[in-house]
Amino acid sequence: MTSGLILNIQRYCIHDGPGIRTTVFLKGCPLHCWWCHNPESRSAQPELRTLESRCIHCGQCREACPLAAEGRAGDPAGCTRCGACAEICPTGARQIVGREMSVGQVLDEVLCDRVFFDESGGGITISGGEPLSQPAFTLDLLRACRDRSLHTAVDTCGFAPAEVLQKCASLASLFLYDLKVLDDDLHRRHTGVSNSLILSNLAMLADIHDNIWIRIPLIPGMNDSVLQLQSAARFVNTLRGVRQVNLLPYHTLGSQKRPGTTGTGVQTALRPDSREAIERAAAIFSDAGLNTIVGG
Ligand code: SF4
Ligand code: SF4
């Protein structure tokens, strides 16, 4: 059975689509948005991390490491991510981030929450990282969910081959599609990639799928000017399958997780937009006739 690299499976989510949902976060993302709230999801490999605030310096991780026999316990150059240190760590300070799971294993966990889905009109959301970066796994998981009549949402940045998105479109109930900024220079500078594939994929998807929620992170100084927001609203207004726009105000939660992760180098200390600025942004989309919601 197909397996994927999973960052986390989070239950009782209420911001990742309708109803109560279980969100499966896949590991690996082709973008490098510096404001990313899940920087640990960027690498497509399992990673070893130590939460210093939890470490009591007991030394058990070093004793358990197979490299200890060579006098190199914990040497990053020799680490095979075997997980022995994480398993023995008494405080949970040492962790392996990312685990291989089969479609069946993920589905078993998700189906534990079926009663909540049925009660609330919820389902499963496949997120990341970028779910389309593991296309075989995401497609097989979507098929398995369809066979069990589960509502499915795919949360994507849209940076993937068009064929993969087309295959997903025939299986997923809903797309949560991230739109950062229309200006390609800004997009390259702040995410590391051009937006041309993302925009062409979105236009294609909106022609073949009729349940798309556009998610726009409001990043102060990057995409929150009247000009940029109007340009995004005009573009979204041309898309047939879009049902709503979610504006996601910037917050500083992810910044606590950023040290030690790779970024684009343009990160600055930002203050979240004021309530008035967020309301002004929302008005630009509502005035364009779009069903606009602030928040997930
Ligand atoms: S993951 Fe394995 S090899 Fe790497 S430091 Fe821990 S015990 Fe050693
Ligand atoms: S086993 Fe855990 S708590 Fe003990 S030294 Fe290692 S990381 Fe720290």
Side-chain angles (χ1 to χ4, degrees):
M1 197 176 258
T2 318
S3 64
L5 187 62
I6 308 299
L7 176 69
N8 189 19
I9 298 180
Q10 200 166 314
R11 305 170 75 183
Y12 314 121
C13 301
I14 53 167
H15 297 295
D16 297 333
I20 297 172
R21 311 191 68 82
T22 297
T23 300
V24 180
F25 293 92
L26 273 59
K27 197 153 158 31
C29 182
L31 271 58
H32 293 281
C33 311
W34 59 260
W35 61 84
C36 181
H37 296 145
N38 284 324
E40 69 275 33
S41 70
R42 284 180 185 159
S43 164
Q45 303 295 326
E47 293 170 281
L48 182 67
R49 75 172 172 189
T50 305
L51 301 177
E52 292 300 337
S53 59
R54 287 198 202 163
C55 179
I56 55 171
H57 304 286
C58 66
Q60 292 187 60
C61 52
R62 297 183 67 78
E63 285 168 25
C65 179
L67 295 169
E70 305 161 28
R72 308 166 54 204
D75 178 358
C79 175
T80 57
R81 319 288 190 270
C82 71
C85 55
E87 214 164 289
I88 204 158
C89 176
T91 64
R94 186 64 71 100
Q95 300 173 353
I96 297 283
V97 181
R99 59 187 161 141
E100 284 285 336
M101 292 180 77
S102 69
V103 167
Q105 286 172 320
V106 171
L107 202 59
D108 284 348
E109 280 204 30
V110 169
L111 285 171
C112 293
D113 299 330
R114 174 138 219 169
V115 62
F116 301 105
F117 306 156
D118 293 345
E119 285 289 317
S120 68
I124 172 177
T125 297
I126 311 176
S127 184
E130 173 47 58
L132 304 186
S133 289
Q134 298 188 52
F137 177 82
T138 296
L139 287 167
D140 276 358
L141 183 55
L142 285 170
R143 281 187 202 101
C145 291
R146 181 197 55 190
D147 293 347
R148 288 157 184 82
S149 302
L150 282 177
H151 183 279
T152 50
V154 174
D155 180 8
T156 179
C157 71
F159 193 83
E163 315 84 77
V164 172
L165 201 57
Q166 276 166 346
K167 287 180 186 161
C168 275
S170 65
L171 296 164
S173 320
L174 168 69
F175 281 89
L176 310 175
Y177 201 107
D178 296 348
L179 188 62
K180 271 81 174 184
V181 64
L182 271 278
D183 181 298
D184 195 37
D185 281 345
L186 280 176
H187 200 278
R188 284 175 193 267
R189 194 145 25 108
H190 291 273
T191 72
V193 304
S194 164
N195 63 11
S196 62
L197 177 64
I198 292 167
L199 298 181
S200 64
N201 272 343
L202 177 53
M204 178 273 294
L205 183 67
D207 274 343
I208 61 172
H209 200 281
D210 63 0
N211 197 11
I212 302 168
W213 296 4
I214 301 291
R215 312 235 283 185
I216 301 179
L218 286 179
I219 308 301
M222 195 279 275
N223 66 353
D224 64 342
S225 70
V226 171
L227 205 66
Q228 293 300 337
L229 294 171
Q230 282 177 336
S231 154
R234 269 196 305 275
F235 174 65
V236 174
N237 232 345
T238 66
L239 305 172
R240 193 185 55 83
V242 171
R243 292 285 154 262
Q244 69 181 52
V245 174
N246 291 81
L247 298 182
L248 310 175
Y250 171 81
H251 58 75
T252 52
L253 208 64
S255 61
Q256 290 141 17
K257 298 197 263 177
R258 278 182 205 122
T261 60
T262 51
T264 56
V266 293
Q267 179 183 350
T268 51
L270 286 184
R271 292 179 59 189
D273 276 321
S274 65
R275 179 192 290 231
E276 291 74 23
I278 293 167
E279 283 170 3
R280 273 197 301 274
I284 288 173
F285 288 86
S286 326
D287 291 350
L290 294 158
N291 177 22
T292 306
I293 291 163
V294 173

